[in-house]
């Protein structure tokens, strides 16, 4: 019997239970995947805690990204066969040894990228892709600020933004995380526990500030993030690890310099099959070229998902973490 992590009610890491879970058989347009590695992301915490409601109710299998091998193919799927290596980023269902998934939501993993790398990079890497190439098209000469620079998305985005020719500023909470971020493309990293990051950005940029701020922290960094933007700059809120941004008057954007603000999600940006394929292809290309290096900093057994969540929320992890079925 296949095993999975399920939650039967919202709560802390203790609600993640390791139990038998029959994945079922693939139907039309579906495949059965045997996972070899599963990614860990902060969005998994949101589904566990109840910040994001489960779309299918309980019990819920959390987890949004994984890689593995096609085990069985349902009808009407002619571009995949058993044995193909695939990876995906969806909303939930990945914390399992096996799962049935729509074939049009997976992509083939190219030679040169391991299953562990693919599982570690799909959600975080395609998030970096749409942020840098579509939400705000970063080009050479731009100055960007990215909060949580030593996190999973940050370590990918920092390298990618530097590859694009941007000046990359980050924030982090400790000396070790600052050094890690600097080793992954960040030109400057501000310790937000010791220095006001608005003042830090002003000093680094000689008062010119940034073209774009990427903020996955939320409550703790708003509205200060707006003060890091030059007139007509763009504020991108794509997460809320410290809690949601409180309601604010849209006139605040005018007061701060006719700013733009957006709250994008990966699943809207990659809803169309052609966008998913293009995003994954761009990601795989920068990894295969060596411009973006993927290092897995933590590994946990799938059965230890509760400990992994506890460490993630306690800021005891850096960069990329995977679960091993």
């Amino acid at each position: 019997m296949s095993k999975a992590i399920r939650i039967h009610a919202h709560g802390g890491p203790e609600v993640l239970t390791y139990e038998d879970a029959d994945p079922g058989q693939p139907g039309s347009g579906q495949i059965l995947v045997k996972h070899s590695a599963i990614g860990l992301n902060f969005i998994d915490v949101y589904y566990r805690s109840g910040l994001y409601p489960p779309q299918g109710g309980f019990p819920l299998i959390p987890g949004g990204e994984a890689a593995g091998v096609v085990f069985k193919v349902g009808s009407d799927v002619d571009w995949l066969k058993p044995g193909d290596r695939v990876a995906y980023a969806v909303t939930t269902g990945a914390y399992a040894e096996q799962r049935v998934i729509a074939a049009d939501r997976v992509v083939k993993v190219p030679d040169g990228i391991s299953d562990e790398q693919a599982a570690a990079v799909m959600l975080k890497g395609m998030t970096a892709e749409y942020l840098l190439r579509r939400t705000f098209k970063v080009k050479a000469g731009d100055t960007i600020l990215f909060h949580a620079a030593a996190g999973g998305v940050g370590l990918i985005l920092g390298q990618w933004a530097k590859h694009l020719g941007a000046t990359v500023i980050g924030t982090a909470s400790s000396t070790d995380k600052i050094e890690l971020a600097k080793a992954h493309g960040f030109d400057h990293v501000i310790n937000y526990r010791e220095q006001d990051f608005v003042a830090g950005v002003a000093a680094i940029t000689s008062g010119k500030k940034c073209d774009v701020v990427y903020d996955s922290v939320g409550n703790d960094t708003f509205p200060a993030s707006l003060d890091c933007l030059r007139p007509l700059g763009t504020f991108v809120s794509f997460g809320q690890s410290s809690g949601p941004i409180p309601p604010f008057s849209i006139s605040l954007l005018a007061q701060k310099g006719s700013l733009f603000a957006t709250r994008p999600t990966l699943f809207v940006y990659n809803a169309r099959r052609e966008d998913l394929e293009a995003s994954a292809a761009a990601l795989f290309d920068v990894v295969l070229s060596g411009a973006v290096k993927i290092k897995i900093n933590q590994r946990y057994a799938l059965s230890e998902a509760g400990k992994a969540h506890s460490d993630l929320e306690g800021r005891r992890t850096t960069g990329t973490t995977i679960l091993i079925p």
Side-chain angles (χ1 to χ4, degrees):
M1 174 65 72
S2 179
K3 293 284 190 179
I5 294 289
R6 280 190 176 129
I7 64 172
H8 297 268
H10 295 305
E14 71 280 356
V15 303
L16 297 165
T17 60
Y18 185 62
E19 55 191 56
D20 291 339
D22 184 356
Q25 297 299 313
S28 176
Q30 296 180 322
I31 58 173
L32 176 64
V33 179
K34 183 177 182 181
H35 290 150
S36 51
I38 301 158
L40 176 75
N41 296 280
F42 221 97
I43 193 173
D44 305 346
V45 174
Y46 299 159
Y47 279 107
R48 189 208 73 216
S49 68
L51 182 62
Y52 290 177
Q55 296 173 338
F58 293 118
L60 170 70
I61 298 176
E65 67 180 344
V69 175
V70 176
F71 199 52
K72 293 182 180 179
V73 176
S75 60
D76 302 317
V77 179
D78 59 6
W79 61 280
L80 289 170
K81 65 183 185 302
D84 284 344
R85 294 195 306 132
V86 295
Y88 63 83
V90 291
T91 53
T92 56
Y95 284 15
E97 293 177 343
Q98 298 180 28
R99 77 168 300 177
V100 170
I101 188 170
D104 67 359
R105 290 293 90 195
V106 309
V107 296
K108 289 184 178 180
V109 178
D111 294 340
I113 294 179
S114 70
D115 287 2
E116 287 196 355
Q117 287 176 314
V121 80
M122 288 299 292
L123 192 149
K124 291 176 279 290
M126 290 196 298
T127 295
E129 184 278 325
Y130 86 76
L131 291 174
L132 290 171
R133 300 172 77 243
R134 291 184 278 168
T135 303
F136 182 93
K137 193 172 179 63
V138 172
K139 61 186 183 303
D142 286 343
T143 300
I144 76 172
L145 173 64
F146 187 92
H147 290 299
V153 176
L155 296 186
I156 295 171
L157 186 140
Q159 297 177 78
W160 203 333
K162 191 63 180 174
H163 175 65
L164 293 172
T167 297
V168 191
I169 305 171
T171 64
S173 61
S174 68
T175 300
D176 288 347
K177 290 186 176 183
I178 287 171
E179 293 307 312
L180 182 63
K182 286 184 175 179
H184 288 78
F186 285 85
D187 298 289
H188 311 275
V189 186
I190 300 163
N191 187 330
Y192 66 82
R193 294 189 187 279
E194 298 178 355
Q195 181 184 11
D196 173 58
F197 67 79
V198 176
V201 166
I204 291 166
T205 63
S206 300
K208 294 180 180 179
K209 303 185 181 180
C210 300
D211 298 282
V212 59
V213 173
Y214 296 111
D215 190 338
S216 65
V217 176
N219 181 71
D220 288 356
T221 48
F222 188 87
S225 285
L226 302 183
D227 294 321
C228 297
L229 287 165
R230 61 189 55 171
L232 308 183
T234 300
F235 172 66
V236 182
S237 170
F238 70 102
Q240 49 197 41
S241 62
S242 69
I245 290 174
F248 67 95
S249 170
I250 197 167
S251 64
L252 182 64
L253 302 178
Q255 296 166 18
K256 299 288 186 181
S258 295
L259 304 178
F260 297 87
T262 184
R263 179 57 171 92
T265 68
L266 172 64
F267 305 113
V268 171
Y269 270 78
N270 282 357
R272 298 189 307 169
R273 175 69 191 177
E274 54 264 42
D275 292 327
L276 170 62
E277 290 179 334
S279 182
L283 172 62
F284 291 146
D285 283 348
V286 293
V287 173
L288 288 169
S289 74
V292 172
K293 296 177 173 59
I294 304 302
K295 182 180 178 182
I296 297 163
N297 291 338
Q298 295 87 207
R299 291 176 175 82
Y300 299 82
L302 177 60
S303 59
E304 297 178 316
K307 183 178 188 318
H309 273 228
S310 179
D311 289 348
L312 179 66
E313 292 178 276
R315 299 181 185 272
R316 293 184 292 275
T317 65
T318 58
T320 297
T321 303
I322 61 171
L323 306 174
I324 306 297

